[in-house]
Each structure stands twice: as C-alpha cells, then as structure tokens.
Amino acid sequence: MPGATSITFRASETETAQSALARLTARYGQADPDRADVIVALGGDGFMLETLNATMDRDTPVYGMNCGTIGFLMNEFDEDGLIERLSAAEEAVINPLAMRAVTTDGTVHEGLAINEVSLLRAGPQAAKLRISVDGRVRMEELVCDGALLSTPAGSTAYNYSAHGPILPIGSGVLALTAVAAFRPRRWRGAILPKAAHVKFEVLNPAKRPVMADADGRPVRDVETVEIRSEPEIRHRILFDPGHGLEERLIREQFA
C-alpha cells in the first residue's frame, strides 16, 4: 500500500497484544482512526474479524499482525520495518455474508459474517432443516447436527473442519456444508454462486431447537435463517507479498 504512513493501531485485550500496542504506538504514533491510511490489528483471527466489522464503514484497509494463537488472516508479528511492509503489502477485497434470522417468537436478528453463517442444533436431538436456494426448495429435510454457508475467506475455518471444500478467493462461489449429516447420510453439501440467496427453515423448532451464528455472534431458537452475500460492503485486508489469501488457501490444501 504505497504512501501508508498514517496508522491506527487496535489490539485485543490479551497481555501480549496490549504490550505490542504500547511499543508500536510509541514507535510509529497513533493516528486518528477517521484519518488513518491503514489500520493495524494486533491479535488473532477472532480479533481481526472484530476489527473488520467495527471499521467497515471507513473503507480503510486492515493489516493484521499475529499476537494470538490462530493467524490465518494475520501477518507475522515484527516491530521493525512496518512502514516498508505496509507499502509493499498486497490487498485482498472480500464481501461478507448478510444474515437475517427470525426466532420462534417473531424477533428479527440481522448480522454480518466474514467467514460463515452456521446453524447448529441447540438440544439433544438432531436438527431438521429445509433448504431453499433462490426461492426453490432444494432439500426437503436435512437431518444433521447443523449446516453452514461459507465464504472463500472462511472456507478453511469451520467449513473445512466440517469436511467442506476450500474455495479460491476469487472463485465467486459459496460453500454450503452439512455438519454431521445423518440423513441423507451421503450428502456432502453444495457449491453455490456467490449471488445465491439461501434460506434455512427449522422443522419442528420446539422439539428440535436450533441456534444460528454469524462469526461468533449467536442467535438462539431460530425458525428461519436467510443468507446472502453483501456486495455493498467491502473488507480490505493487507498481506505481506507472497503471503496473500490466494496463496494461503492453496498452501492449506497441501499441508
């Protein structure tokens, strides 16, 4: 990012991140968030997601440095040469998923997810879900522990743990993945166009309660959940050269 000299630092509450924040602001200064050229996030992937959501109205690129345990969206931590690293950084632009969840009492909850929106059983019995894509029912009944819709950026997270596919960052598709599917037992999910509108209906929610989760923000007792990509919102993420999202996604498949 050429000319990135004005930096706002944000840090998670961990001792490691707070210590790094103190040292980096003493060395590079702390710019007004509304006027900064770049935001540097200090923490792990969870804090990176929090930072992207908190700053999405500014259209300011975010460069993460790993001070946590998981750092797929982060760069290696190094106090030296930060201005030079920012100037050479590669930018990836991703769009979040927009979730609209309606609970059994009629309350509407909306949220955004950079990685995935997931539905998970919230009781002892398996969930039963009906799945529609663009207004057409594609699966009358999925009996499972849950299901999720993932972006390419999130495809190596929960989606991959649930045996979903890793998606190239520029592929223009989303991964619909079942979590411990019981019936149909052999269903392995689907790859959908990025513009698809996906609707989950919870069958018998009183007996088989389900919660929805958008990047760690849960909504309990959902009855319907609608998900679509939100092209009007752009998250700009910076990576060191040769370590961008595309390379990371490819490398993950050969780990």
Side-chain angles (χ1 to χ4, degrees), residues 17 36 48 61 90 114 117 125 134 146 153 210 237 242 248:
M48 183 61 157
E90 302 172 352
I114 295 164
V117 174
Q125 294 183 298
D134 294 330
V210 171
I237 309 177
R248 291 170 188 232

PDB file of all heavy atoms in Angstrom, residues 17 36 48 61 90 114 117 125 134 146 153 210 237 242 248:
ATOM      1  N   ALA A  17      -0.878  -8.680  23.173  1.00  0.00           N
ATOM      2  CA  ALA A  17      -1.319  -7.664  22.224  1.00  0.00           C
ATOM      3  C   ALA A  17      -1.221  -6.260  22.817  1.00  0.00           C
ATOM      4  O   ALA A  17      -0.815  -5.307  22.133  1.00  0.00           O
ATOM      5  CB  ALA A  17      -2.745  -7.957  21.773  1.00  0.00           C
ATOM      6  N   ALA A  36      -6.684   7.889   9.290  1.00  0.00           N
ATOM      7  CA  ALA A  36      -5.559   6.972   9.076  1.00  0.00           C
ATOM      8  C   ALA A  36      -5.571   6.387   7.668  1.00  0.00           C
ATOM      9  O   ALA A  36      -6.626   6.166   7.068  1.00  0.00           O
ATOM     10  CB  ALA A  36      -5.614   5.850  10.100  1.00  0.00           C
ATOM     11  N   MET A  48      -9.227 -10.014  14.418  1.00  0.00           N
ATOM     12  CA  MET A  48      -9.235  -9.479  13.057  1.00  0.00           C
ATOM     13  C   MET A  48     -10.667  -9.369  12.544  1.00  0.00           C
ATOM     14  O   MET A  48     -11.053  -8.338  11.973  1.00  0.00           O
ATOM     15  CB  MET A  48      -8.407 -10.377  12.137  1.00  0.00           C
ATOM     16  CG  MET A  48      -8.303  -9.867  10.700  1.00  0.00           C
ATOM     17  SD  MET A  48      -7.492  -8.239  10.609  1.00  0.00           S
ATOM     18  CE  MET A  48      -6.917  -8.256   8.920  1.00  0.00           C
ATOM     19  N   PRO A  61      -8.068   0.047   4.691  1.00  0.00           N
ATOM     20  CA  PRO A  61      -7.505  -1.307   4.700  1.00  0.00           C
ATOM     21  C   PRO A  61      -6.982  -1.694   6.080  1.00  0.00           C
ATOM     22  O   PRO A  61      -6.533  -0.829   6.852  1.00  0.00           O
ATOM     23  CB  PRO A  61      -6.377  -1.239   3.673  1.00  0.00           C
ATOM     24  CG  PRO A  61      -6.021   0.205   3.585  1.00  0.00           C
ATOM     25  CD  PRO A  61      -7.288   0.965   3.845  1.00  0.00           C
ATOM     26  N   GLU A  90       0.069  -6.587  -0.261  1.00  0.00           N
ATOM     27  CA  GLU A  90      -0.940  -6.922  -1.259  1.00  0.00           C
ATOM     28  C   GLU A  90      -2.322  -6.813  -0.625  1.00  0.00           C
ATOM     29  O   GLU A  90      -2.501  -7.160   0.534  1.00  0.00           O
ATOM     30  CB  GLU A  90      -0.722  -8.354  -1.759  1.00  0.00           C
ATOM     31  CG  GLU A  90       0.648  -8.613  -2.353  1.00  0.00           C
ATOM     32  CD  GLU A  90       0.877 -10.087  -2.639  1.00  0.00           C
ATOM     33  OE1 GLU A  90       0.016 -10.919  -2.232  1.00  0.00           O
ATOM     34  OE2 GLU A  90       1.902 -10.420  -3.247  1.00  0.00           O
ATOM     35  N   ILE A 114     -17.966 -12.602   7.993  1.00  0.00           N
ATOM     36  CA  ILE A 114     -16.876 -12.644   7.018  1.00  0.00           C
ATOM     37  C   ILE A 114     -16.509 -14.089   6.700  1.00  0.00           C
ATOM     38  O   ILE A 114     -16.176 -14.416   5.558  1.00  0.00           O
ATOM     39  CB  ILE A 114     -15.663 -11.872   7.561  1.00  0.00           C
ATOM     40  CG1 ILE A 114     -16.010 -10.387   7.695  1.00  0.00           C
ATOM     41  CG2 ILE A 114     -14.440 -12.054   6.660  1.00  0.00           C
ATOM     42  CD1 ILE A 114     -15.064  -9.608   8.553  1.00  0.00           C
ATOM     43  N   VAL A 117     -21.911 -18.261   8.139  1.00  0.00           N
ATOM     44  CA  VAL A 117     -23.109 -18.309   8.972  1.00  0.00           C
ATOM     45  C   VAL A 117     -23.416 -19.778   9.184  1.00  0.00           C
ATOM     46  O   VAL A 117     -23.503 -20.550   8.219  1.00  0.00           O
ATOM     47  CB  VAL A 117     -24.305 -17.600   8.319  1.00  0.00           C
ATOM     48  CG1 VAL A 117     -25.570 -17.811   9.152  1.00  0.00           C
ATOM     49  CG2 VAL A 117     -24.033 -16.115   8.149  1.00  0.00           C
ATOM     50  N   GLN A 125     -31.492 -33.555  20.436  1.00  0.00           N
ATOM     51  CA  GLN A 125     -31.881 -34.215  19.197  1.00  0.00           C
ATOM     52  C   GLN A 125     -31.301 -33.496  17.988  1.00  0.00           C
ATOM     53  O   GLN A 125     -31.039 -32.292  18.010  1.00  0.00           O
ATOM     54  CB  GLN A 125     -33.404 -34.286  19.089  1.00  0.00           C
ATOM     55  CG  GLN A 125     -34.042 -35.185  20.137  1.00  0.00           C
ATOM     56  CD  GLN A 125     -35.538 -35.286  19.948  1.00  0.00           C
ATOM     57  OE1 GLN A 125     -36.242 -34.283  20.034  1.00  0.00           O
ATOM     58  NE2 GLN A 125     -36.030 -36.483  19.691  1.00  0.00           N
ATOM     59  N   ASP A 134     -32.525 -19.502  -3.814  1.00  0.00           N
ATOM     60  CA  ASP A 134     -33.196 -18.587  -4.740  1.00  0.00           C
ATOM     61  C   ASP A 134     -34.682 -18.908  -4.868  1.00  0.00           C
ATOM     62  O   ASP A 134     -35.250 -18.923  -5.967  1.00  0.00           O
ATOM     63  CB  ASP A 134     -32.512 -18.611  -6.112  1.00  0.00           C
ATOM     64  CG  ASP A 134     -31.095 -18.067  -6.060  1.00  0.00           C
ATOM     65  OD1 ASP A 134     -30.828 -17.197  -5.210  1.00  0.00           O
ATOM     66  OD2 ASP A 134     -30.253 -18.523  -6.858  1.00  0.00           O
ATOM     67  N   GLY A 146     -26.048 -29.737  12.127  1.00  0.00           N
ATOM     68  CA  GLY A 146     -26.105 -28.357  11.683  1.00  0.00           C
ATOM     69  C   GLY A 146     -25.725 -28.224  10.224  1.00  0.00           C
ATOM     70  O   GLY A 146     -25.521 -29.214   9.511  1.00  0.00           O
ATOM     71  N   ALA A 153     -13.080 -16.814   1.963  1.00  0.00           N
ATOM     72  CA  ALA A 153     -12.154 -16.422   3.027  1.00  0.00           C
ATOM     73  C   ALA A 153     -12.323 -17.281   4.264  1.00  0.00           C
ATOM     74  O   ALA A 153     -11.361 -17.532   4.997  1.00  0.00           O
ATOM     75  CB  ALA A 153     -12.357 -14.947   3.382  1.00  0.00           C
ATOM     76  N   VAL A 210     -32.734 -24.878  17.358  1.00  0.00           N
ATOM     77  CA  VAL A 210     -31.536 -24.583  16.561  1.00  0.00           C
ATOM     78  C   VAL A 210     -31.092 -23.162  16.853  1.00  0.00           C
ATOM     79  O   VAL A 210     -31.915 -22.257  17.021  1.00  0.00           O
ATOM     80  CB  VAL A 210     -31.831 -24.752  15.050  1.00  0.00           C
ATOM     81  CG1 VAL A 210     -30.674 -24.231  14.206  1.00  0.00           C
ATOM     82  CG2 VAL A 210     -32.117 -26.219  14.723  1.00  0.00           C
ATOM     83  N   ILE A 237      -8.212  -6.231   3.149  1.00  0.00           N
ATOM     84  CA  ILE A 237      -7.237  -6.856   4.033  1.00  0.00           C
ATOM     85  C   ILE A 237      -5.875  -6.853   3.353  1.00  0.00           C
ATOM     86  O   ILE A 237      -5.761  -7.199   2.168  1.00  0.00           O
ATOM     87  CB  ILE A 237      -7.638  -8.305   4.379  1.00  0.00           C
ATOM     88  CG1 ILE A 237      -9.087  -8.353   4.877  1.00  0.00           C
ATOM     89  CG2 ILE A 237      -6.712  -8.874   5.446  1.00  0.00           C
ATOM     90  CD1 ILE A 237      -9.578  -9.746   5.166  1.00  0.00           C
ATOM     91  N   GLY A 242       3.492 -12.370  -1.329  1.00  0.00           N
ATOM     92  CA  GLY A 242       3.700 -13.812  -1.353  1.00  0.00           C
ATOM     93  C   GLY A 242       2.979 -14.562  -0.262  1.00  0.00           C
ATOM     94  O   GLY A 242       3.084 -15.792  -0.177  1.00  0.00           O
ATOM     95  N   ARG A 248      -2.393 -18.549   0.651  1.00  0.00           N
ATOM     96  CA  ARG A 248      -2.696 -19.263   1.892  1.00  0.00           C
ATOM     97  C   ARG A 248      -3.721 -20.373   1.667  1.00  0.00           C
ATOM     98  O   ARG A 248      -3.627 -21.455   2.218  1.00  0.00           O
ATOM     99  CB  ARG A 248      -3.197 -18.293   2.958  1.00  0.00           C
ATOM    100  CG  ARG A 248      -2.113 -17.346   3.456  1.00  0.00           C
ATOM    101  CD  ARG A 248      -2.674 -16.236   4.327  1.00  0.00           C
ATOM    102  NE  ARG A 248      -1.629 -15.254   4.614  1.00  0.00           N
ATOM    103  CZ  ARG A 248      -1.303 -14.834   5.811  1.00  0.00           C
ATOM    104  NH1 ARG A 248      -1.937 -15.291   6.873  1.00  0.00           N
ATOM    105  NH2 ARG A 248      -0.349 -13.944   5.990  1.00  0.00           N
TER     106      ARG A 248
END
